[in-house]
Amino acid sequence: MSKKKPVLYLVIPCYNEEAALLQTIERLKQKMADLLQENKIAEGSRVLFANDGSKDKTWEIIQEQHHKDKLFTGISLSRNRGHQNALLAGLMTAKKYADVVISLDADLQDDIDAIDEMLAKYAEGAEIVYGVRSSRQKDSTFKRVTAEGFYKFMHLMGVEVVFNHADYRLASKRVLDELENYHEVNLFLRGIFPLIGFKSEVVYYERGERCAGESKYPLKKMLGLAWDGISSLSIRPLRFITALGLIMAGLSALVLIYSIVVKVLGNAVSGWTFTVCSIWLVGGIQTFSIGVIGEYIGKIYSETKRRPRYCIAESLIEE
Ligand code: UDP
Ligand code: MG
């Protein structure tokens, strides 16, 4: 081994996870004990929950577990800020104490046995290890189709993402120190990590079912995340508009030729249908284009304010 045993922090964002949490805690306790016993991680490794303004008993459960066992610790955001912000809050907190951090979901859909392989890649020198789903058999067809469509669409739109990688990943302290320099408010972490660079590796695992409770990522949130990813990391939609403008200009040249021909043939009064259609078509394209530009201006607007991305209301970490 090229590196000494690292202090590992597992960072888990939680939003209304009371149904899944106890089960998750049991399994993680076992996993951390095994890792410790197999000499893969150092004493002082922890599981850090980032409570994302849950409205149920999530935070109470975390506090109670912390009092029972110091392996579990947590922070609580002042309100719901969304998965990405809660995760960031957890990562930024954990990096103060950890050598290496692995982020995962509270429902343990991501196979925790992949952690061993992630740590092995880290020991071999990787600074980021992406967990990639090798199959999604356990997801509903709808979730699978929308989620895979999500990655393909992101790619088409010019965002560099690792296919079928969500936020199950290992990152070293060094990488997280770099992440701190990315100040965007519209956060799309899985697009930012590839930008940070450093030696990275991939680990494959099978995605299981949610252990309890319901998905906190309905289609609406997923679309929101996709749009955040595209508009924060790519200007390709703006390029499409330019291309559309060029195509329209080409078409209008054809229309010009057409109308001259009609004129020469002496049928110039006809063409009402054509006029009306063009008005609607051009109007539609213009409105849509302005909308896309507006979206980017909206992003600039929210980025320039540089508001904090989260606020930690409570913390169980003892210095
Ligand atoms: N989550 C969060 N804040 C939110 C929504 C979700 O912290 O506003 C957390 C949630 O508790 C879970 C993770 O993000 O740990 C992923 O959510 P979920 O498993 O519901 O998403 P799915 O696997 O269905 O895409
Ligand atoms: Mg899940």
Side-chain angles (χ1 to χ4, degrees), residues 168-241:
Y168 186 26
R169 94 174 70 72
L170 173 149
S172 67
K173 178 175 159 43
R174 188 160 158 214
V175 165
L176 294 175
D177 283 339
E178 290 303 324
L179 177 66
E180 201 165 24
N181 298 327
Y182 288 71
H183 297 288
E184 49 238 84
V185 180
N186 300 286
L187 203 57
F188 185 66
L189 289 170
R190 64 192 87 159
I192 296 177
F193 276 94
L195 292 181
I196 298 176
F198 291 108
K199 184 169 163 22
S200 57
E201 287 283 352
V202 168
V203 160
Y204 293 92
Y205 67 94
E206 296 231 349
R207 181 165 162 93
E209 269 169 279
R210 186 173 241 286
C211 62
E214 281 176 358
S215 173
K216 311 292 181 289
Y217 251 106
L219 186 63
K220 190 167 156 246
K221 271 195 182 172
M222 209 150 80
L223 290 176
L225 183 67
W227 180 243
D228 261 351
I230 294 165
S231 56
S232 324
L233 292 162
S234 158
I235 54 158
R236 203 172 280 184
L238 292 176
R239 295 246 169 86
F240 279 160
I241 291 177

Side-chain angles (χ1 to χ4, degrees), residues 119-175:
L119 288 171
K121 302 255 181 195
Y122 169 75
E124 286 161 14
E127 301 278 342
I128 305 177
V129 185
Y130 299 102
V132 171
R133 294 155 190 177
S134 57
S135 86
R136 281 180 176 269
Q137 296 315 324
K138 301 275 172 54
D139 274 343
S140 69
T141 315
F142 179 74
K143 179 89 197 176
R144 191 167 65 234
V145 169
T146 49
E148 291 191 344
F150 171 96
Y151 293 99
K152 289 188 182 134
F153 186 61
M154 300 295 291
H155 190 71
L156 182 74
M157 284 292 158
V159 182
E160 196 189 325
V161 281
V162 180
F163 186 72
N164 259 341
H165 157 71
D167 283 300
Y168 186 26
R169 94 174 70 72
L170 173 149
S172 67
K173 178 175 159 43
R174 188 160 158 214
V175 165

Side-chain angles (χ1 to χ4, degrees), residues 104-121:
L104 66 166
D105 291 349
D107 54 7
L108 296 193
Q109 274 188 291
D110 306 309
D111 179 14
I112 53 172
D113 290 324
I115 291 176
D116 300 67
E117 211 182 318
M118 285 183 168
L119 288 171
K121 302 255 181 195

Side-chain angles (χ1 to χ4, degrees), residues 250-267:
L251 282 179
S252 61
L254 291 180
V255 171
L256 191 74
I257 296 167
Y258 170 74
S259 42
I260 291 169
V261 172
V262 172
K263 182 91 180 163
V264 169
L265 294 178
N267 301 328

